[in-house]
Amino acid sequence: MTETEGKDCPIETIESLTKEAESLKKKLEDERQKLNDVTLATVAERLDIINYMNIKPRRTLKGHQAKVLCSDWSPDKRHIVSSSQDGKMIIWDAFTTNKEHAVTMPTTWVMACAYAPSGNLVACGGLDNKVTVYPLSLDEDVTLKKKTVGTHTSYMSCCIFPNSDQQILTGSGDSTCALWDVESGQLLQSFHGHSADVMSIDLAPSETGNTFVSGSCDKMVLIWDMRSGQCVQSFEGHESDVNSVKFHPSGDAVATGSDDATCRLFDLRADKEVAIYSKESIIFGVNSVDFSVSGRLLFAGYNDYTVNVWDTLKCVRVCLLYGHENRVSCLQVSPDGTALSTGSWDYTLR
């Protein structure tokens, strides 16, 4: 259709096309329902219940002067990087609780931080709209070698290194995600599809790793092809902002946490929501989710200062972790699955 035809497109045509789109949507939904023969919880009935979990606080990391907003485990399974509203980024030895680096950022509200796969770099950003990379070396001041890699038109909410130190993927309040070249700072690919702030991203666990997922304040969860920049799958169901997205270790499903006080599981092969993790007594939003190494457990950090542990398959809560004195803003299972770190607005990590 040429541009002029587009401009003069009669109202009736638009109406009939809208109607057609609606009926096709309904047909799709009917087909999906036909396949929707059994629930995940029903399939999981024969599984044993998880009834004993020995998770208790082993360390408390104190040093931030304000709300902890983000954290990430190092690939060496020992160090943690955390960022805070005080404009500081701290590298911790999680075993000894020592601070190995403390970097002051040019901005407060450092909303995102991530370790590179080598463990030799960290990236962070927030209200400065930038993603900045810091090489970590013990013999000199970390800030001397810092480098701005990319800039969004609004705050940077999340960042992650896809498979190498050479590239970094970011999500932003400008409703886009972007892939940057770390060395040159060049924008390699941008991802347009959300209609509101992107809050969280996660990489598919496959080796080739060209797929990632994003969650947004538009209540949508989108799956992207990193090479083409195209959205290849979308999931709806949440009734409020999606704050956190995480791929199941199998790569076949994505867990999400939302302000609607639920976590959900969306299956990529079934192309639909297969589980919802909620209780009537839970009325507070979810800020962060992560899986155990097997994927059987889903950890979720809530605004009511707790961490709920869900049985992913049976859809029941198996454990409740208390201790933080303000909302749990971030949580992450360590790379080897032996530990869980949580960060909170109470200024501490545990």
Side-chain angles (χ1 to χ4, degrees), residues 283-334:
I283 55 171
F284 288 88
V286 186
N287 295 312
S288 188
V289 294
D290 199 7
F291 283 103
S292 62
V293 166
S294 69
R296 179 69 191 269
L297 298 174
L298 179 67
F299 298 91
Y302 289 75
N303 282 341
D304 64 357
Y305 318 169
T306 65
V307 173
N308 283 290
V309 187
W310 298 93
D311 182 325
T312 315
L313 299 175
K314 286 185 169 292
C315 303
V316 294
R317 184 170 71 187
V318 291
C319 189
L320 189 54
L321 308 177
Y322 296 97
H324 278 298
E325 290 159 26
N326 205 323
R327 68 166 63 177
V328 179
S329 49
C330 52
L331 62 75
Q332 199 186 23
V333 174
S334 66

Side-chain angles (χ1 to χ4, degrees), residues 74-76 79-81 89-92 100-103 114-116 118-123 133-143 145-146 165:
S74 159
D76 72 6
H79 293 85
I80 291 175
V81 59
M89 179 176 71
I90 297 178
I91 308 277
W92 310 82
E100 294 194 356
H101 299 281
V103 181
Y115 258 103
S118 68
N120 300 327
L121 280 181
V122 288
V133 171
Y134 294 85
L136 299 176
S137 57
L138 287 167
D139 51 344
E140 57 184 338
D141 181 7
V142 174
T143 48
K145 292 256 179 93
K146 75 170 186 184
D165 289 23

